[in-house]
Amino acid sequence: MGVLGSPRFRIVGAAVLCAVAFAVGVLVGPALRKKLASILSASAVAQGHASKHERPLSVLSGKKTFVLLTLGQSNAANHGETKRRSVESVFAFDKSKLYDAEDPLPGATGDGGSVWTRLGDRIVAAGKCDAVVLIALGVTGSAVSEWAPGGVHNVALRAAIADAERAGLSLSHVLWHQGETDVVRGTSKVDYERAFLSLVADLRSARVTAPIYVAVATHYSLPHSGTSVAAIQDAQRELGLRHSDGLFAGADTDVIGNRDRYDGTHFSNEGLKRAADLWFESMGFTE
């Protein structure tokens, strides 16, 4: 096998591409970022649909089903090191269609693995429900403001919520995993909280009553300010304490160090497993 075809070369190449995609998401102007996000999202959906087995919604009939809406940036999307095919009772929902859950999940950017297939398997295996439906909308390099009303990703978010409602799927959990881009941009604690609470109000106006779990997620491989990290972490932790608003503490994935991130930012196979375990525990589940 030549150098270009070696596993090491492919891993390094993937890491470089992920880093470039993240940097582009952070640094380009709003108009170009909007166009790139649209292209990346369309690519992820097309790749996902090409390899997925579609299921009728009737497979959920009579089952206790958790419907998880997952939002954020690359570590909430399909940018993990290894792909996974979920067990039989875990599904992905996108654009009014139901599929067997398999990475890359449709609706989110990237062509790698995700935390959510692993989390879905964990929830079903623990007997917490009969089935899990994943609605994955993560976009690499996205900022919190881009999900709030007026943001580039808000239209797709509202469309996904409407699709789920028409299909009779009631959201049971909203999982938010984002923060790295706002660390790099130097977003203040106040501005992060303001944008996120605007997103929460928008979700509630769309009749989403599910609890919203806020991850602590700031770990990024490129140089950045420690002050910025503290500001975003503080915002995320305080948001997770606003129980009267239906907000709860999600996974603190900042405890996952570089050893379990294949490029210093995105989760390796072991990092994906650890992140899924952290999400499982933060949602109040036990074995």
Side-chain angles (χ1 to χ4, degrees):
M1 179 185 295
V3 172
L4 294 179
S6 68
R8 181 181 296 273
F9 183 87
R10 289 197 299 271
I11 291 173
V12 170
V16 170
L17 288 174
C18 284
V20 170
F22 189 98
V24 167
V26 173
L27 298 175
V28 300
L32 180 56
R33 186 163 60 251
K34 181 175 182 179
K35 182 64 176 177
L36 288 170
S38 174
I39 293 170
L40 285 168
S41 295
S43 174
V45 171
Q47 291 169 352
H49 286 184
S51 62
K52 301 293 185 282
H53 182 230
E54 188 175 346
R55 295 282 193 174
L57 286 165
S58 60
V59 300
L60 302 174
S61 181
K63 293 183 177 180
K64 179 183 178 181
T65 302
F66 285 165
V67 182
L68 278 53
L69 174 64
T70 64
L71 307 170
Q73 52 188 113
S74 54
N75 279 324
N78 300 302
H79 296 267
E81 182 181 36
T82 56
K83 300 176 186 178
R84 181 183 181 91
R85 178 180 295 175
S86 284
V87 297
E88 185 175 349
S89 297
V90 181
F91 305 93
F93 181 80
D94 180 60
K95 291 182 171 57
S96 303
K97 294 184 178 181
L98 190 71
Y99 304 89
D100 289 332
E102 177 184 355
D103 293 331
L105 290 171
T109 61
D111 60 1
S114 77
V115 170
W116 314 123
T117 47
R118 290 153 174 85
L119 176 61
D121 283 353
R122 184 84 190 275
I123 292 172
V124 170
K128 305 305 176 183
C129 60
D130 301 318
V132 169
V133 175
L134 304 169
I135 304 176
L137 300 181
V139 176
T140 185
S142 58
V144 62
S145 60
E146 293 170 352
W147 292 95
V152 64
H153 305 304
N154 185 261
V155 172
L157 170 59
R158 292 297 294 256
I161 292 169
D163 280 346
E165 187 174 35
R166 282 191 294 269
L169 296 175
S170 179
L171 299 180
S172 61
H173 304 78
V174 178
L175 309 183
W176 172 257
H177 191 283
Q178 186 280 340
E180 302 94 323
T181 288
D182 286 283
V183 165
V184 175
R185 291 184 179 181
T187 303
S188 71
K189 175 176 175 288
V190 170
D191 285 344
Y192 190 94
E193 289 178 341
R194 181 183 296 116
F196 187 78
L197 290 174
S198 177
L199 167 60
V200 171
D202 193 52
L203 290 171
R204 300 310 186 207
S205 73
R207 296 183 294 278
V208 175
T209 59
I212 301 169
Y213 292 82
V214 184
V216 175
T218 65
H219 190 105
Y220 184 43
S221 60
L222 295 184
H224 50 264
S225 165
T227 302
S228 295
V229 169
I232 303 304
Q233 286 179 334
D234 287 348
Q236 291 165 340
R237 291 190 174 111
E238 289 187 15
L239 287 165
L241 295 175
R242 295 178 66 116
H243 299 169
S244 61
D245 294 322
L247 306 184
F248 299 88
D252 181 351
T253 58
D254 278 359
V255 303
I256 301 176
N258 286 338
R259 185 182 67 177
D260 294 324
R261 298 175 186 256
Y262 66 89
D263 60 357
T265 298
H266 302 97
F267 299 133
S268 66
N269 181 62
E270 183 61 26
L272 289 166
K273 180 181 181 299
R274 288 189 64 194
D277 289 344
L278 289 168
W279 272 113
F280 182 86
E281 293 163 5
S282 73
M283 295 165 73
F285 297 138
T286 57
E287 297 293 354

